[in-house]
Amino acid sequence: MLKLDSVHTYYGNIKALKGISLKVNKGEIICLIGANGAGKSTTLMTISGIKTPHSGTIEFDGIDITDMAPHRIVAMGMSQVPEGRRMFSSLTVVENLDMGAYLRSDKKERKDDIEYVFSLFPILSKRKNQTGGTLSGGEQQMLAISRALMARPRILLLDEPSLGLAPLIVQQIFEIITRINKEQGTTIFLVEQNANMALKIADRGYVIQNGRIVKADSAGALLEDEEVRAAYLGV
Amino acid sequence: MEYFLQLVLAGLTKGSIYALIALGYTMVYGVFKLINFAHGEIYMIGAFTALIVGGALQITTDLAPSMIFLISLVAAIFFSAAHGATMERIAYRPLRQAPRLTALISAIGMSLILQNYVRLAQTSDFLPFHSMIPDIPWLTPGVSPITTTQLTIVVTTVVVMISLTLFIKFTKMGKAMRAAAQDRIMAQLVGIDMNRVATYTFVIGSVTAAIGGVLIANHMGQINFYIGFLAGIKAFVAAVLGGIGSIPGAVLGSFVLGMAESFGAGYISSAYEDAFAFIILIIVLIFKPSGLLGRNEVEKV
């Protein structure tokens, strides 16, 4: 479904990605783990078209999206929940959800989808008319995921959804991610530092280090891998 | 008392014109964090278009003055909007990922190009601009405190402000602009086309500036290629005063500036009229660096 082939991305003269190749199949949960500054967020921003790669190709559903504008990639069925949530903080919860459905014109089905995300995160329906900026970190993360779902993506990219959240909330968010994958058949590409949590729900995983993929295996095998355990699982 | 009233009306008129120009500055800054120094030229081009179209119609046809005024206004709006959209396309779009200073230099270059192209195509002399706004009978000049032109300026500005507010609040493009102003990357991630937002932002700013240009030309009675410079700087000051990036701020800043200039010139010294804008700016920025209605920029870590 999504395929990266030796993607290089630069920030000025700094090489952030030095030849990333990976593949995400339809219906899978794939996670990309790595330390701070390894190039995880850059990978997602390059896929979404915010950063244009210096070389290499990105394919989505067999179509080359390497140089495609971000809004057209969203229209093709890819949404991202970026790092740091990026709320439209002066808009209310419902307005934020409406922004997520920006490219859709089907009013009635949008209403149904709002009901659906409220069923995933009941707390959001209580905060309906509050502005995004007044929500707690966990609620903001829930809203960010919901906003991305409002575009009805076929693939959802998530950038560190667990960052800065209490363990209980993290647990809840990961359960919902699994549910979205099972119920809606949405393919998930998850970027995480919290490797333990991510590998537990993933089918396969990639390990990124200094802009390169250094390991690729099934999630179970990565959880058992000595190096991964030492570097990312703190065991 | 009557003198005071006259100063208030003069201040309102000035403030209205500043507001029409300042909107363009503040909207472009709000979305792109770019100070479009060529914006004053768009206003000047609007005035020139109205002069040329209005002049031609006055000579060749015998349409009613109000019709000529409307036709030349529409022509100015279209011509300025085309300039604004083209300017964005060639001078700013290629630099969107570049450092902000690069785009600023491009803006100054654009300003010089537009000024000199009008100078070469027209003339560097002041051209007389015969007011095309017909006098309303019950506003006899010299008797009523407000002239027809002043009334037209203030009423037009109010109408423009209300329409713009409704546009920003209720249309899809308006929402896209607000989203882009808050977070440009996130706006793209929900599917907003930044190039379309850019075109709309520049076109709207150019339309209001053109309206301002046509109105002030009717009010002042003469124009030349350089009028955009001072008006542009003043409107920029008004936008900063109100809090650049904020639309209500730009309007408030413009009226504060218009009043300050009018009263400063009326009660203190008209020789220093242009200095009052900057005095006010400095005083406000000392006490409120983000402007009257500006939000404090929170540095994200």
Side-chain angles (χ1 to χ4, degrees), chain B residues 2-3 9 11 18 50 56 59 96 107 120 132 146 152 158 164 168 182 187 203 224 232 238 240 253 259 271 294:
Chain B
E2 205 191 304
Y3 185 56
L9 289 170
Y18 291 152
I59 296 167
R96 206 173 291 155
L120 290 175
M132 294 182 280
I146 188 166
T152 312
V158 171
L164 187 66
I168 298 278
Q182 282 189 38
V203 163
N224 80 343
V240 172
M259 288 295 175

Side-chain angles (χ1 to χ4, degrees), chain B residues 169-217:
Chain B
K169 219 168 165 58
F170 295 112
T171 64
K172 197 165 185 187
M173 183 43 74
K175 283 179 189 161
M177 283 175 172
R178 278 190 293 158
Q182 282 189 38
D183 187 333
R184 208 187 329 165
I185 289 178
M186 195 58 230
Q188 295 181 74
L189 289 178
V190 297
I192 292 169
D193 180 353
M194 281 313 281
N195 289 339
R196 273 194 57 181
V197 171
T199 304
Y200 270 84
T201 310
F202 275 83
V203 163
I204 291 172
S206 303
V207 167
T208 62
I211 295 174
V214 176
L215 291 174
I216 196 72

Side-chain angles (χ1 to χ4, degrees), chain B residues 87-279:
Chain B
M87 178 163 81
E88 187 275 326
R89 189 76 185 77
I90 61 175
Y92 305 132
R93 191 174 296 182
L95 296 174
R96 206 173 291 155
Q97 310 294 337
R100 277 157 73 175
L101 191 61
T102 318
L104 196 67
I105 293 167
S106 185
I108 294 169
M110 204 64 221
S111 165
L112 293 174
I113 289 171
L114 289 176
Q115 268 178 31
N116 288 293
Y117 124 86
V118 173
R119 168 156 54 181
L120 290 175
Q122 301 298 321
T123 166
S124 56
D125 299 330
F126 267 99
L127 297 172
F129 194 111
H130 302 292
S131 179
M132 294 182 280
I133 303 172
D135 281 319
I136 301 173
W138 44 269
L139 288 175
T140 337
V143 178
S144 63
I146 188 166
T147 66
T148 311
T149 317
Q150 281 181 322
L151 185 70
T152 312
I153 290 176
V154 175
V155 170
T156 310
T157 306
V158 171
V159 171
V160 168
M161 298 303 153
I162 292 172
S163 331
L164 187 66
T165 310
L166 295 177
F167 176 83
I168 298 278
K169 219 168 165 58
F170 295 112
T171 64
K172 197 165 185 187
M173 183 43 74
K175 283 179 189 161
M177 283 175 172
R178 278 190 293 158
Q182 282 189 38
D183 187 333
R184 208 187 329 165
I185 289 178
M186 195 58 230
Q188 295 181 74
L189 289 178
V190 297
I192 292 169
D193 180 353
M194 281 313 281
N195 289 339
R196 273 194 57 181
V197 171
T199 304
Y200 270 84
T201 310
F202 275 83
V203 163
I204 291 172
S206 303
V207 167
T208 62
I211 295 174
V214 176
L215 291 174
I216 196 72
N218 275 286
H219 185 56
M220 300 298 280
Q222 56 172 8
I223 58 172
N224 80 343
F225 75 97
Y226 207 56
I227 57 165
F229 177 75
L230 193 61
I233 294 278
K234 294 274 193 65
F236 172 61
V237 167
V240 172
L241 190 64
I244 193 149
S246 150
I247 290 178
V251 177
L252 178 68
S254 300
F255 283 110
V256 168
L257 198 63
M259 288 295 175
E261 284 192 2
S262 177
F263 281 104
Y267 285 124
I268 303 170
S269 159
S270 60
Y272 289 105
E273 185 179 350
D274 291 336
F276 291 116
F278 302 99
I279 295 170

Side-chain angles (χ1 to χ4, degrees), chain A residues 3 7 27 46 50 56 89 93-94 109 117 120 128 149 154 158 186 209:
Chain A
K3 207 172 124 195
V7 170
T46 308
I50 301 286
S89 51
V93 167
V94 172
E109 287 164 50
V117 298
L120 291 176
K128 237 196 293 213
L149 288 177
R154 286 175 296 129
L158 292 137
T186 313
Q209 218 172 65

